[in-house]
Amino acid sequence: MSEPTRISAPDGVAPATQYSHVVLGTGRFVAVSGQLALDEDGKLVGEGDATAQARQVFENLRRCLAAAGAGFDDVVKLTYFVTDMAHMPAIRAARAEHIPDDRLPAASAVQVASLVRPEFLMEIEAFAVIAP
């Protein structure tokens, strides 16, 4: 893949600290559906534990990206859906295990009233661009 260009502070926009405002890439587009904290048997990992759920979600994202021939270096956008913004530090910590600060994708965080089941604390989707 051609190296994505990350722009954390476009002219006239306050600098981003936990994401990049803009990420450009050339290649094939990969969309990964929102991932939940389910193990390979479909069982919840980390009931009531944002840290455990975030780690499982990022592991699921890693596996989905790999199935498309991609990795976290190819991710250009992450969208976080959380039932409580207090879960964001756990998500950032799990993200840091996979994505270094100098390679942060564009991102959005949205607090939602609930997810598909009440025991889920977060759902995260990813968009990536990989070389053809």
Side-chain angles (χ1 to χ4, degrees):
M1 175 180 123
S2 65
E3 180 67 26
T5 301
R6 291 168 176 79
I7 305 170
S8 63
D11 289 342
V13 178
T17 57
Q18 294 293 322
Y19 59 94
S20 297
H21 277 294
V22 179
V23 180
L24 304 150
T26 303
R28 292 182 301 136
F29 180 74
V30 177
V32 178
S33 292
Q35 295 298 301
L36 299 163
L38 295 172
D39 67 13
E40 60 190 35
D41 296 321
K43 295 180 184 167
L44 175 67
V45 172
E47 185 162 358
D49 182 344
T51 297
Q53 287 199 22
R55 284 187 176 138
Q56 183 64 46
V57 168
F58 272 90
E59 177 58 19
N60 291 347
L61 288 168
R62 185 193 67 74
R63 290 176 179 176
C64 289
L65 289 164
F72 281 106
D73 282 350
D74 304 309
V75 172
V76 295
K77 175 77 165 52
L78 290 170
T79 305
Y80 311 108
F81 301 97
V82 295
T83 57
D84 188 330
M85 283 296 173
H87 303 320
M88 289 305 298
I91 290 170
R92 288 184 192 113
R95 182 193 65 202
E97 294 174 12
H98 298 277
I99 304 172
D101 285 347
D102 65 341
R103 301 191 57 78
L104 293 174
S108 299
V110 181
Q111 184 169 330
V112 296
S114 66
L115 293 166
V116 67
R117 291 190 343 220
E119 61 269 28
F120 295 125
L121 303 177
M122 65 198 64
E123 180 173 338
I124 303 172
E125 67 184 15
F127 299 105
V129 176
I130 56 175

